[in-house]
Amino acid sequence: AKMASGFAKPGGVVRLVQENWAAVTGKLPTEVLWGVGAKTARKLAGLGIRTVAELAAADEGELARAFGPTIGPWLRRLGTGEVASPVSDEPRRARGRGKERTFQEDVRDGDRVRQLLSGLARELARELADVGRPARRVVVKVRFAPFDTHTRSVTLPQPTVDTDLIATGALAALERLPLDRPVRLLGVRAELA
């Protein structure tokens, strides 16, 4: 589905099925395949495999030696169009939602950092309540000057949209970081139930 939608841009329709797979994809470079990135494509090219058709005709044993016993054969099946993943028309539901702020001037006071983070967490909690998606985990992101970024997380006792519980969770995660340096950015993300 992902490949077919790419072939149809900017607004057409392409039906990509087993019967036309080789004709449509055979001459294309391997990186057009969903799941083959630049690094894998380079490794395939090192084996003399540059097109989808060459990948489809590749020896599974050779691919298994190069990529491992699971990924190697999977790549060959990918080249033949045999990999069947379910296609759903269900709208994608976000797994998380977050807020972050970069400060014009570094924040040097730990109490001020806590206050700012609590405000961000409460703002995020109100958004979660508006969309009816409770948080099950809170992740805090802190970027210290000059650009050293750390994250810490806390699992909440139960999924919630309660502003106090989400803010408390964010502050508990923040306590796992030493606030001994100036803070350039603060962020809070909720992993949703």
Side-chain angles (χ1 to χ4, degrees):
K2 180 72 174 169
M3 286 182 61
S5 69
F7 292 142
K9 287 181 181 177
V13 175
V14 168
R15 184 179 159 127
L16 186 58
V17 293
Q18 194 65 47
E19 291 76 27
N20 69 354
W21 176 265
V24 173
T25 66
K27 294 180 182 176
L28 297 174
T30 57
E31 54 261 36
V32 302
L33 297 171
W34 186 248
V36 176
K39 185 176 178 181
T40 301
R42 280 193 304 274
K43 196 168 179 179
L44 287 167
L47 298 172
I49 301 168
R50 291 179 175 74
T51 67
V52 173
E54 291 169 345
L55 181 57
D59 176 73
E60 269 193 29
E62 181 181 0
L63 290 171
R65 284 187 292 282
F67 293 94
T70 302
I71 300 298
W74 175 79
L75 284 168
R76 193 211 48 84
R77 289 192 309 277
L78 193 62
T80 63
E82 295 174 46
V83 177
S85 299
V87 177
S88 171
D89 62 354
E90 290 292 319
R92 181 185 166 275
R93 284 181 54 110
R95 290 185 225 156
R97 189 170 189 147
K99 296 280 211 195
E100 63 180 47
R101 296 267 162 39
T102 302
F103 305 110
Q104 292 293 327
E105 294 181 23
D106 296 339
V107 180
R108 298 175 187 280
D109 178 56
D111 289 336
R112 180 69 178 142
V113 169
R114 288 179 195 86
Q115 179 185 27
L116 291 166
L117 181 67
S118 179
L120 274 177
R122 290 172 184 283
E123 190 178 325
L124 176 61
R126 286 189 292 275
E127 288 181 10
L128 297 177
D130 288 345
V131 296
R133 297 286 309 275
R136 62 180 176 77
R137 185 176 187 81
V138 178
V139 181
V140 169
K141 174 179 174 181
V142 179
R143 179 165 300 142
F144 295 101
F147 303 105
D148 184 22
T149 305
H150 297 270
T151 60
R152 295 294 184 271
S153 65
V154 169
T155 300
L156 299 172
Q158 62 190 31
T160 186
V161 293
D162 183 276
T163 55
D164 289 336
L165 293 175
I166 291 173
T168 299
L171 291 170
L174 180 66
E175 290 307 313
R176 296 180 179 174
L177 289 168
L179 295 178
D180 56 353
R181 294 178 282 163
V183 173
R184 171 90 28 108
L185 173 147
L186 278 176
V188 62
R189 182 172 56 85
E191 293 179 1
L192 305 176

